[in-house]
Amino acid sequence: MKKLAGSALLLALLGGCVSTAATTPMARAPMISIPAGTGLGQVVGASAASLTHMFGAPIADVREGTARKLQFSNATCVLDTYLYPKGNGEPVVTYLDTRQTDGSPIDRASCVGALQIGRRK
């Protein structure tokens, strides 16, 4: 009986060690299949014209000095791209941010892929 009680106590203690990673916001982000030839590599360093070609017309275009923010969205996510000039050159994407349409986190590559897939339809 003592052995059974000891085993039950051990199981109860180990049960408290279970990871809660599945309850984090990132664990709930939808996984989207991304076709070859898409992704962050095409976005980082892209010009405004390239972004428009990839995603269509932005839903927001904000300029502040030489910096520019273009925002793209579909039913899956929102992509904010921040373009800054390199030297005297044309502004290009140096940073991007993504979120689901309800504000929850989503993987950046998944959002870019979802926007590109939606554009092809």
Side-chain angles (χ1 to χ4, degrees):
M1 185 70 171
K2 284 184 179 182
K3 202 173 203 181
L4 183 60
S7 295
L9 178 61
L10 180 61
L11 285 175
L13 290 173
L14 288 176
C17 295
V18 174
S19 172
T20 59
T23 62
T24 63
M26 288 303 292
R28 292 189 307 257
M31 295 305 294
I32 299 166
S33 176
I34 302 172
T38 62
L40 296 176
Q42 290 182 315
V43 177
V44 176
S47 66
S50 295
L51 292 173
T52 302
H53 179 73
M54 277 188 266
F55 305 123
I59 61 168
D61 186 346
V62 180
R63 296 171 194 253
E64 186 173 318
T66 58
R68 187 174 183 186
K69 172 187 164 186
L70 295 176
Q71 186 178 78
F72 302 90
S73 180
N74 65 10
T76 302
C77 65
V78 178
L79 168 68
D80 294 320
T81 59
Y82 299 89
L83 296 84
Y84 298 94
K86 288 188 177 182
N88 293 332
E90 179 180 11
V92 295
V93 176
T94 58
Y95 180 77
L96 58 103
D97 190 30
T98 59
R99 62 191 170 281
Q100 293 180 53
T101 54
D102 67 0
S104 301
I106 187 170
D107 176 72
R108 294 183 308 167
S110 295
C111 182
V112 167
L115 287 167
Q116 288 176 325
I117 290 168
R119 177 82 171 137
R120 291 184 194 144
K121 290 183 179 178

